[in-house]
Amino acid sequence: MKTRDKILLCSLELFNERGERNVTTNHIAAHLAISPGNLYYHFRNKSDIIYEIFLEYEKLVDFYLDIPEDRAMTLDDMTFYLESVFDGLWSYRFFHRDLEYLLDGDQRLRQDYREFTNRCLASISCIFEKLAEAGIIEPQEDDLRSAMSLNVWLVITNWMAFLKTAHAAEESACLTLTELKQGIYQVLTLEIPYLTPAYRDQVMALREKYRPSLPETSLAGKNAASGK
């Protein structure tokens, strides 16, 4: 593997494990047992490393959301899209953990992320359209389909932040891929009102596989204690 690729791979690993703000270029160089000068030969600064990592993430998601045009969509396709997108989110999880901060620090990244978001929204809308053509969900008006696509995108990109907040009281809590993929339950919940009778049971069974195991809130605990 070329040194440049090693730097990107190591940076991604450290960013995911420690958080991007806690990792410097010196940390990356030390982890790879190379000199800082060698690192700067390939990347001017940490922002350049982050930008290159984003480009890899962008290509991965674009690949995952390649919609077949020559056949009807199936439930297996829908499951693949959801699993793949959350897999990608996990592999590059540092990015969405600190998204606003990262975008504020790099204008290139902000512009590219906006375009990336628009492509993802268009792909999600296309998936809904294909699901309707396959008879899995009822057809939707353009405005409703756009709103649904945005809601799905918001769930996908904010589910990790919600989990970190929900588990904030547990100092030792560590997010897992299984917990992250429980966001699929929330995405499929958005589809429930539009499922056709022929597919409702299958989608509901699929949804149940991802039911979140969230900690009991103090309010829930009080209600349980009072029999409510």
Side-chain angles (χ1 to χ4, degrees):
M1 186 182 294
K2 295 180 180 179
T3 300
R4 185 180 188 280
D5 295 330
K6 289 180 180 179
I7 292 170
L8 291 175
L9 189 60
C10 174
S11 299
L12 177 59
E13 178 184 345
L14 293 177
F15 292 161
N16 281 339
E17 288 181 357
R18 306 179 188 178
E20 178 273 334
R21 298 195 206 193
N22 299 318
V23 177
T24 66
T25 50
N26 284 341
H27 289 138
I28 298 167
H31 197 77
L32 285 170
I34 63 175
S35 69
N38 194 352
L39 184 147
Y40 290 129
Y41 174 79
H42 296 279
F43 298 98
R44 293 175 304 170
N45 49 45
K46 191 169 72 168
S47 292
D48 281 355
I49 295 175
I50 293 169
Y51 182 69
E52 288 295 326
I53 289 175
F54 167 72
L55 294 181
E56 292 299 317
Y57 172 59
E58 185 179 33
K59 286 190 290 186
L60 181 67
V61 176
D62 285 343
F63 172 76
Y64 283 154
L65 294 180
D66 184 26
I67 315 300
E69 297 292 340
D70 57 345
R71 60 175 177 83
M73 187 169 289
T74 67
L75 283 181
D76 286 342
D77 289 326
M78 184 176 71
T79 305
F80 170 79
Y81 294 136
L82 291 170
E83 285 271 351
S84 297
V85 167
F86 276 91
D87 277 334
L89 192 62
W90 173 258
S91 296
Y92 294 82
R93 56 193 176 276
F94 86 91
F95 190 76
H96 283 283
R97 263 194 324 234
D98 245 347
L99 181 60
E100 186 175 354
Y101 170 78
L102 294 174
L103 297 186
D104 284 344
D106 190 332
Q107 188 59 38
R108 299 170 304 172
L109 193 59
R110 175 174 289 277
Q111 178 63 35
D112 281 12
Y113 186 79
R114 184 182 298 117
E115 295 172 1
F116 168 68
T117 296
N118 289 335
R119 287 201 310 277
C120 288
L121 288 172
S123 293
I124 295 169
S125 179
C126 182
I127 289 172
F128 278 130
E129 190 171 7
K130 296 281 283 186
L131 289 173
E133 290 175 2
I136 297 173
I137 64 173
E138 299 291 346
Q140 302 167 332
E141 297 292 334
D142 289 347
D143 287 349
L144 176 57
R145 190 166 62 247
S146 294
M148 284 286 292
S149 301
L150 178 57
N151 287 343
V152 167
W153 180 248
L154 291 174
V155 169
I156 291 172
T157 56
N158 289 283
W159 179 245
M160 187 185 306
F162 171 76
L163 286 178
K164 299 296 283 186
T165 303
H167 291 265
E170 305 174 30
E171 293 182 4
S172 62
C174 183
L175 183 65
T176 66
L177 177 58
T178 297
E179 289 176 314
L180 185 64
K181 284 191 174 182
Q182 289 169 354
I184 294 174
Y185 179 94
Q186 309 302 323
V187 174
L188 293 176
T189 297
L190 294 173
E191 296 181 11
I192 290 177
Y194 310 103
L195 294 173
T196 60
Y199 283 91
R200 181 180 177 83
D201 289 347
Q202 294 178 64
V203 175
M204 295 300 285
L206 174 64
R207 170 176 171 266
E208 196 60 29
K209 293 179 181 179
Y210 300 99
R211 178 177 288 276
S213 53
L214 298 176
E216 187 178 78
T217 65
S218 57
L219 178 60
K222 289 177 182 178
N223 288 341
S226 62
K228 293 182 180 178

